[in-house]
C-alpha cells in the first residue's frame, strides 16, 4: 500500500509508520514527496496519475472546497480523514489510533473505488464513510 500523510500532520508520524511497515508499505509525508506548501489540487492530480494511493489527513477542507473535492472524488485516491477530536489530539494519540485502525484501513482501501473518503474516529473502531 502506498500512503501519503498530509501536510497538517507530523512528518515524524509518517517516518515512524514507514519504519514500522518497511517492506510492506510505502508511507511518506507530503513535504517529503512534494516539498512544503504544495496546493491540494496539484498533489491530488499527481498522486492519481501514479496509481492507487491512500491519503491520511486532518484537512477536512478537501471535503468542503469545490475544486479540491471534485479533484479528489475523480481521483484514484482513498482518503482517511482524522475526526475533529483526533486531529486536535497529541501526535502520540494520533499514532495510537492509526495503529489501532490500520488493518481496517488496509481492508477498506482494498474494497472501495478511488475517490472514497472516510473518517477516522477518536474512540470507535468503526470507520464511517464521509457523506459530503
Amino acid at each position: 500500500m502506498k500512503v501519503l500523510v498530509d501536510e497538517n500532520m507530523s512528518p515524524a508520524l509518517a517516518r515512524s509508520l514507514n519504519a514500522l511497515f518497511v517492506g510492506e508499505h510505502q508511507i511518506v509525508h507530503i513535504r517529503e514527496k512534494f516539498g512544503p506548501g504544495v496546493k491540494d489540487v496539484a498533489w491530488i492530480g499527481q498522486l492519481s496519475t501514479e496509481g492507487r494511493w491512500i491519503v491520511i489527513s486532518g484537512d477536512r477542507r478537501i471535503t468542503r472546497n469545490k475544486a479540491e473535492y471534485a479533484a479528489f472524488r475523480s481521483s484514484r485516491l482513498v482518503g482517511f480523514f482524522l475526526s475533529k477530536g483526533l486531529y486536535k489530539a497529541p501526535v502520540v494519540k494520533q499514532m495510537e489510533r492509526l495503529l489501532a485502525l490500520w488493518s481496517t484501513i488496509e481492508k477498506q482501501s482494498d474494497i472501495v473505488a478511488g475517490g472514497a473518503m472516510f473518517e477516522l474516529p477518536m474512540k470507535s473502531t468503526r470507520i464511517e464513510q464521509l457523506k459530503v
Side-chain angles (χ1 to χ4, degrees):
M1 193 166 74
K2 296 185 291 184
V3 180
L4 180 90
V5 176
D6 199 2
E7 183 135 23
N8 49 26
M9 295 180 67
S10 170
L13 187 141
R15 287 190 301 272
S16 298
L17 286 171
N18 192 53
L20 182 64
F21 292 111
V22 69
E24 188 177 351
H25 302 298
Q26 174 191 359
I27 303 162
V28 298
H29 193 270
I30 194 167
R31 286 184 221 142
E32 184 181 326
K33 185 156 180 68
F34 295 103
V38 64
K39 300 293 182 198
D40 287 341
V41 172
W43 67 257
I44 291 168
Q46 177 62 39
L47 283 186
S48 187
T49 65
E50 295 179 16
R52 180 73 143 211
W53 277 82
I54 307 310
V55 176
I56 298 176
S57 177
D59 184 9
R60 295 289 284 272
R61 188 181 65 235
I62 291 172
T63 65
R64 293 186 299 271
N65 177 289
K66 286 183 180 186
E68 294 170 3
Y69 177 77
F72 200 97
R73 293 293 289 173
S74 65
S75 76
R76 299 169 69 188
L77 313 178
V78 177
F80 292 91
F81 296 86
L82 276 60
S83 65
K84 187 176 181 180
L86 187 53
Y87 177 67
K88 291 183 176 187
V91 71
V92 171
K93 181 65 173 177
Q94 291 177 357
M95 177 65 92
E96 174 188 297
R97 291 303 298 150
L98 284 172
L99 291 174
L101 295 167
W102 195 261
S103 64
T104 305
I105 291 169
E106 288 177 321
K107 290 173 191 165
Q108 194 67 41
S109 62
D110 281 344
I111 62 172
V112 297
M117 299 178 185
F118 299 89
E119 181 178 74
L120 298 175
M122 179 72 153
K123 295 181 181 175
S124 170
T125 57
R126 200 160 167 219
I127 294 176
E128 298 285 332
Q129 188 160 11
L130 290 173
K131 310 264 191 288
V132 287

